[in-house]
Amino acid sequence: MMKNRINIKTDEQLQNCIIANMEVEVWFAGMLDSVSKITAFDDEVVVVEDGKYLRGNCVMRIKASHLRAVK
């Protein structure tokens, strides 16, 4: 399952996800916590439709097929 997912790490990738209106997977403590669209972010927090996450405490992923949109 993880083979076809790309981790979103950079501000540019986060911004591109917002612009493209893409749903991202939010993983917290090794478990899928949410699938939602990013609405905002800063150096410490990512805000999705379902809530807020500290950037250092979660992993955001998208399907690899969306890679071109977030490179």
Side-chain angles (χ1 to χ4, degrees), residues 12-30:
E12 182 181 19
Q13 290 172 321
L14 290 166
Q15 187 61 44
N16 284 334
C17 287
I18 292 172
I19 291 168
N21 204 31
M22 285 191 242
E23 286 192 331
V24 298
E25 296 176 350
V26 183
W27 291 77
F28 181 76

Side-chain angles (χ1 to χ4, degrees), residues 5-51:
R5 301 289 189 256
I6 303 296
N7 288 355
I8 301 300
K9 299 177 184 176
T10 67
D11 287 352
E12 182 181 19
Q13 290 172 321
L14 290 166
Q15 187 61 44
N16 284 334
C17 287
I18 292 172
I19 291 168
N21 204 31
M22 285 191 242
E23 286 192 331
V24 298
E25 296 176 350
V26 183
W27 291 77
F28 181 76
M31 309 253 330
L32 181 61
D33 193 58
S34 174
V35 177
S36 189
K37 294 177 183 173
I38 300 170
T39 59
F41 68 92
D42 62 26
D43 290 341
E44 296 181 14
V45 175
V46 176
V47 181
V48 296
E49 294 172 323
D50 296 337

